[in-house]
Amino acid sequence: MGGVEQIMNEGFPDAPAPSGGPSILLRPLSASRFSRSFQLEVPAAELVGLVTGADSARRLRTARGYLHDTPETLALEQRARESPEDFGLPGWIVLGADTLVPARSEGFADRVWIHGTELIDGHQRLRAMALVLDELGPDHLARTLLKVEVYCGAERERARRLFGCADRYRNIRNAQDRLLLCPDIGRLVDADWEGWSFCVRRGVTGGPKGRTYLLPEVTRALACLSGPGPELAHRAASAEGLMSLWDDIGSPAYRSLFHARMTPLGVLRAVEAYGAARDALQRIPKSRRQGHGRLITYAPELIHWAACRFLPRARLHDESCDFDWDRALRQEMGSRVETAVADLVRRYEHLVTPEPGKGTYFRTAPELSLWTELTRGC
């Protein structure tokens, strides 16, 4: 590396009074000086010592303590266990410091002291690594490198202020955004929709003023035509279920809906069938939505799924299929929904006895175990 001492000797002016933070000795593999910061590449095992001890958050003036039970933190810990060499690739550890001072070189190893250290951003990541270090030992982190940005002098307070509110401007990716990593979704985006278009955020859109089917509706439509059981329709019925489905693009459940055989025509057939079933269900009189008829209110996706059993689901994406989808939806879907409602409500009456004041229908109707029992033999 050779340039660390020269880089570190070019200090920042206007240094404020010492912060009282701890000092740490690091052996960066590379170092760069920018107009407002230093950037280092550091072995993780050297840096995690900063966050040991119960009072580390206070000593380092971090904005928050360790969020040990959030899904994101648990995922960080698991990533550190499973692929430590990848852990440092996304994101930076951001430090504030009074000064950076080159230590005496020993052989070819350039070292640098960071005095008055503050942890501006990255506490959760460092603590996750520290926990895994305790579990699995230093050899586990031997190949893990962290990208570290250090702000000194007047820039330290500026960085703390700006990083403190950075979350206000950060659009966090979610499972729906990450669908673009799926090659089959990519094929849908690039396909010829003949006047329509497809996007993971906007869904299926027909022209500038045409009908729009958002991705939750598209997914529920495909699940409505899935089988043999109602498991996917049940999962896609809730927002949490949709996110969990989209979040695992390699799972059999996801692959049964989004796969290499998908065609724009098949997607449009699905959303039209789903819409026809939903419209027909909405026409069911309110008088039939009492008692066990509350199944209509609390489990509509089950009824949509049952009503669509008559469609040639295996040929959904087959463009040569000669089944008249439009005629079937127009002339048969209403009666199919009527039949599904009558059959499912009758079975519901046999399976579940209401308990006064217990919210029986609200509690039982959305349960997957009930859906499975109600559709047995369908």
Side-chain angles (χ1 to χ4, degrees):
M1 181 173 57
V4 169
E5 183 165 355
Q6 178 182 355
I7 290 169
M8 299 306 165
N9 280 330
E10 298 174 0
F12 288 96
D14 303 323
S19 66
S23 297
I24 186 171
L25 180 63
L26 299 177
R27 193 191 337 245
L29 300 186
S30 64
S32 300
R33 165 70 189 275
F34 291 83
S35 60
R36 291 175 172 169
S37 67
F38 297 107
Q39 293 185 356
L40 315 173
E41 188 177 42
V42 178
E46 295 187 8
L47 201 60
V48 295
L50 269 178
V51 295
T52 57
D55 65 339
S56 63
R58 178 184 58 78
R59 286 188 295 106
L60 296 166
R61 294 179 60 195
T62 62
R64 299 178 296 188
Y66 190 52
L67 306 177
H68 63 90
D69 57 353
T70 66
E72 292 81 7
T73 299
L74 295 174
L76 275 177
E77 293 175 6
Q78 194 61 25
R79 172 54 63 89
R81 293 185 187 99
E82 293 178 351
S83 54
E85 64 278 6
D86 298 331
F87 189 89
L89 186 60
W92 291 78
I93 305 298
V94 181
L95 304 178
D98 295 340
T99 57
L100 274 74
V101 180
R104 181 176 59 85
S105 294
E106 299 177 1
F108 296 101
D110 289 321
R111 299 189 180 193
V112 58
W113 279 105
I114 303 180
H115 295 301
T117 309
E118 304 172 61
L119 182 49
I120 294 174
D121 196 52
H123 184 226
Q124 309 305 318
R125 298 174 68 221
L126 280 184
R127 281 287 292 167
M129 297 218 77
L131 288 173
V132 173
L133 179 65
D134 288 342
E135 290 177 11
L136 303 177
D139 289 345
H140 184 71
L141 299 184
R143 299 191 306 276
T144 306
L145 300 176
L146 298 177
K147 297 177 295 184
V148 181
E149 192 163 31
V150 186
Y151 290 87
C152 297
E155 292 298 328
R156 180 182 63 188
E157 293 305 320
R158 182 172 182 270
R160 176 170 290 282
R161 173 171 50 83
L162 293 176
F163 275 93
C165 61
D167 56 297
R168 297 178 184 173
Y169 316 109
R170 188 174 297 141
N171 288 312
I172 302 299
R173 294 185 187 94
N174 62 20
Q176 183 172 348
D177 297 314
R178 289 191 294 273
L179 286 176
L180 285 174
L181 298 175
C182 170
D184 299 317
I185 291 291
R187 278 189 279 272
L188 278 184
V189 172
D190 295 335
D192 181 6
W193 286 80
E194 297 183 359
W196 294 70
S197 64
F198 179 81
C199 171
V200 296
R201 272 296 172 189
R202 293 191 298 272
V204 177
T205 304
K209 297 182 180 179
R211 172 71 193 273
T212 295
Y213 303 95
L214 296 177
L215 193 60
E217 186 175 3
V218 171
T219 307
R220 287 170 179 147
L222 293 168
C224 181
L225 293 171
S226 68
E231 291 81 9
L232 284 175
H234 180 273
R235 187 172 178 180
S238 67
E240 296 81 7
L242 278 175
M243 282 295 175
S244 70
L245 184 66
W246 294 335
D247 203 31
D248 190 0
I249 62 176
S251 69
Y254 176 88
R255 303 297 302 164
S256 68
L257 299 185
F258 298 96
H259 46 75
R261 302 182 308 279
M262 295 185 77
T263 63
L265 178 59
V267 173
L268 291 174
R269 284 170 174 168
V271 294
E272 287 168 1
Y274 177 72
R278 186 177 53 195
D279 292 345
L281 187 60
Q282 290 174 347
R283 293 194 293 269
I284 298 292
K286 291 184 179 180
S287 60
R288 295 179 60 185
R289 300 170 185 258
Q290 304 302 313
H292 286 83
R294 286 187 174 89
L295 188 71
I296 299 170
T297 301
Y298 297 134
E301 301 294 327
L302 169 63
I303 298 170
H304 301 155
W305 178 88
C308 288
R309 296 302 87 194
F310 78 102
L311 296 169
R313 295 169 286 112
R315 303 192 67 185
L316 178 65
H317 297 286
D318 183 356
E319 297 184 357
S320 65
C321 177
D322 57 2
F323 181 81
D324 193 339
W325 290 79
D326 291 336
R327 187 197 65 78
L329 300 182
R330 188 173 58 253
Q331 297 184 11
E332 295 187 54
M333 185 57 81
S335 63
R336 298 285 181 168
V337 168
E338 286 276 353
T339 300
V341 168
D343 289 346
L344 293 172
V345 170
R346 184 179 66 254
R347 295 184 185 191
Y348 191 28
E349 290 172 347
H350 290 314
L351 289 173
V352 175
T353 301
E355 299 179 66
K358 299 290 187 178
T360 302
Y361 305 119
F362 176 79
R363 177 171 45 84
T364 61
E367 292 180 354
L368 176 58
S369 58
L370 178 76
W371 288 30
T372 303
E373 190 66 26
L374 291 178
T375 58
R376 195 177 301 279
C378 288

